[in-house]
Amino acid sequence: MSFVRPFRPGDEPALGEICVRTADAGDDASGLLADDAIWPAIFVWPYVAHDPDTAFVVEADDGRVVGYIVATVDTDAFGQWFRTRWWPPYASRWPLSATTPARDADLLGYAAARGSAPDRLQAQGYSAHLHIDLLPELQGQGWGRRLIGTLVEHLRGRGVTGIQLTASADNHGAAAFYPRVGFDPLASDDGGRSFGLRLVSG
């Protein structure tokens, strides 16, 4: 039977595969970019490098990792670390140029700009943020709710006041899911839908 457990070093390749297979607004993004590794280098690997204790996975009965939730407790601090420590080697690996395909350029530009300004939702009390992904074989079975519950319990134990996330505007499954697990819609930037959950008063 599948179960939720803490992230362990060595899970990174499986997390990267899950990220790619769900990155296109919940659908498989394999082959959409010049290098599939761009997706996890932005959206999952830095979280388990910076905040491994706020990462949890779903392990199937055959030992495969088939879903995950990753988070950071301090979005602004994470952004500064991402900008100064994590991203520079990847920026050299994937340099932006006039010939960079538009979709690649959008993501690489987003990564290059992370941490350049304070996070607007952290200023409203949502200091933590998360990413969650499940392979299709697990979707619709309550595993997303269990991962959210595991992370929320952990963050409450650490006194975190609120958590946020932003999904792409065309990810309709995410737009339906987060209110069902207690998140409130928040004012969003263009191109995304933001949600927040208050964990403790503060």
Side-chain angles (χ1 to χ4, degrees), residues 131-188:
H131 292 280
I132 180 173
D133 288 301
L134 297 166
L135 290 179
E137 66 191 76
L138 251 68
Q139 293 172 13
Q141 301 176 38
W143 289 105
R145 183 181 293 273
R146 290 175 210 178
L147 284 171
I148 292 283
T150 299
L151 177 64
V152 164
E153 181 180 4
H154 175 80
L155 295 179
R156 282 186 171 136
R158 294 179 59 172
V160 176
T161 60
I163 188 164
Q164 53 158 301
L165 64 103
T166 299
S168 61
D170 54 351
N171 191 335
H172 303 296
F177 170 71
Y178 291 110
R180 289 202 301 266
V181 293
F183 284 73
D184 296 316
L186 303 174
S188 304

Side-chain angles (χ1 to χ4, degrees), residues 2 17 24 50 73-74 79 85 92 100 124-125 127 136 140-141 149 157 159 162 169 171 174 181 200:
S2 300
E17 179 183 354
D24 185 22
H50 188 265
V73 299
D74 186 328
R85 301 287 299 279
S92 298
T100 303
Q124 299 173 32
S127 64
Q141 301 176 38
N171 191 335
V181 293
V200 296

Side-chain angles (χ1 to χ4, degrees), residues 1-5 11-22 56-69 132-141 143-144 146-147:
M1 179 176 292
S2 300
F3 61 96
V4 175
R5 65 162 172 83
D11 290 333
E12 291 90 345
L15 302 191
E17 179 183 354
I18 296 165
C19 180
V20 173
R21 289 181 59 188
T22 57
F56 301 89
V57 307
V58 181
E59 183 174 316
D61 54 7
D62 60 5
R64 291 178 302 129
V65 173
V66 289
Y68 66 78
I69 191 167
I132 180 173
D133 288 301
L134 297 166
L135 290 179
E137 66 191 76
L138 251 68
Q139 293 172 13
Q141 301 176 38
W143 289 105
R146 290 175 210 178
L147 284 171

Side-chain angles (χ1 to χ4, degrees), residues 8-80:
R8 294 196 297 251
D11 290 333
E12 291 90 345
L15 302 191
E17 179 183 354
I18 296 165
C19 180
V20 173
R21 289 181 59 188
T22 57
D24 185 22
D27 294 328
D28 193 344
S30 299
L32 292 184
L33 305 179
D35 188 339
D36 284 345
I38 292 171
W39 298 106
I42 296 173
F43 296 114
V44 63
W45 291 334
Y47 293 87
V48 296
H50 188 265
D51 293 270
D53 59 333
T54 52
F56 301 89
V57 307
V58 181
E59 183 174 316
D61 54 7
D62 60 5
R64 291 178 302 129
V65 173
V66 289
Y68 66 78
I69 191 167
V70 296
T72 184
V73 299
D74 186 328
T75 295
D76 283 336
F78 175 84
Q80 288 297 314

